Amino acid sequence: MAATQTSLPNRESGDFAVQVRSMFDRIAGVYDLMNTAMTAGMHHHWRERAAGLAQLEPGGSALDACCGTGDLALELVASVGPEGTVVGCDFSERMLDAARAKAERRGVASVRFEWADALELPYSDASFDAATIGFGARNLADLDRGLAELRRVVRPGGRLVILEITQPTRPPLSAFYSLWFDRIVPLLGTLAGDRSAYAYLPESVRRFPPPRGLAERMAAAGFPTVRYLVLAGGIITIHAGVAGP
């Protein structure tokens, strides 16, 4: 497969969101394979932990924003059961196609995947018991606006869980991270046919708030109680915030 020669999404550009959507449309077919290659399959375990921190009960309701190919939304289905409701939303139609196909292969009917802009969610206030976003928050054109929208659609006392990559600061892991994400991951992207998409990944992580900074942004958005876990030696964080009144 020839590598796609496309410039990286530019956060300073007025059409950053369009660039990101185009990028995810391009890589939808290799997204799951690349996630497994980059994390040695650990991304499934991290999603399981994130779903558990949503503290959903059977019959509950959840929104997975920026759902991608649907893995985290499908984990949430296991928590709410057949009587519950899970909605996965994304602005990449090709990612949504992959998510729907995955749910159909697994015989999961209690989830729906639909198009939505995370900065203008088409859901009523307090519609969900919990919301999640896995590896998508750093791609938002306006993080604070996205957090505010998630707070709007989560009921008071409900939870927001954010699973993300973070940048370790202590050696030797910081050196390994730099080698892996700055050099090897873009090379894997070249082999997968889209180097620019996977060169964008470490850049997006560098621009994203560190764990404490994200917790503060969540608190400012209306989740006054925030706790977070740092996993994989400092590469992965899971933040869980409780919506205020």
Side-chain angles (χ1 to χ4, degrees), residues 73-74 77-78 100 102-113:
L74 291 168
V77 169
R100 293 172 185 129
K102 185 179 295 181
E104 183 175 357
R105 286 195 305 272
R106 297 183 185 181
V108 179
S110 55
V111 59
R112 70 178 191 267
F113 293 103

Side-chain angles (χ1 to χ4, degrees), residues 143-185:
L143 174 60
D144 294 325
R145 182 175 170 185
L147 292 174
E149 271 295 272
L150 290 166
R151 171 61 192 90
R152 181 182 64 78
V153 301
V154 171
R155 64 168 176 79
R159 297 172 75 86
L160 169 63
V161 178
I162 299 178
L163 168 63
E164 260 303 350
I165 305 169
T166 192
Q167 189 167 354
T169 58
R170 296 182 179 179
L173 196 63
S174 57
F176 168 78
Y177 174 93
S178 180
L179 172 65
W180 182 252
F181 279 94
D182 290 337
R183 298 187 181 184
I184 297 177
V185 166

Side-chain angles (χ1 to χ4, degrees), residues 37-53:
M38 289 188 299
T39 69
M42 287 297 294
H43 65 103
H44 295 298
H45 171 68
W46 299 330
R47 286 186 172 92
E48 288 175 7
R49 293 200 68 172
L53 289 173

Side-chain angles (χ1 to χ4, degrees), residues 22-105:
S22 175
M23 179 186 73
F24 280 108
D25 280 343
R26 293 197 315 269
I27 67 173
V30 298
Y31 183 78
D32 286 347
L33 179 62
M34 285 293 291
N35 278 351
T36 297
M38 289 188 299
T39 69
M42 287 297 294
H43 65 103
H44 295 298
H45 171 68
W46 299 330
R47 286 186 172 92
E48 288 175 7
R49 293 200 68 172
L53 289 173
Q55 295 189 3
L56 289 159
E57 298 181 354
S61 60
L63 172 70
D64 182 35
C66 306
C67 68
T69 60
D71 283 332
L72 183 49
L74 291 168
E75 291 291 345
L76 296 172
V77 169
S79 297
V80 303
E83 302 303 318
T85 301
V86 174
V87 178
C89 69
D90 203 288
F91 69 174
S92 166
E93 289 287 3
R94 292 195 64 188
M95 285 287 194
L96 289 168
D97 287 343
R100 293 172 185 129
K102 185 179 295 181
E104 183 175 357
R105 286 195 305 272

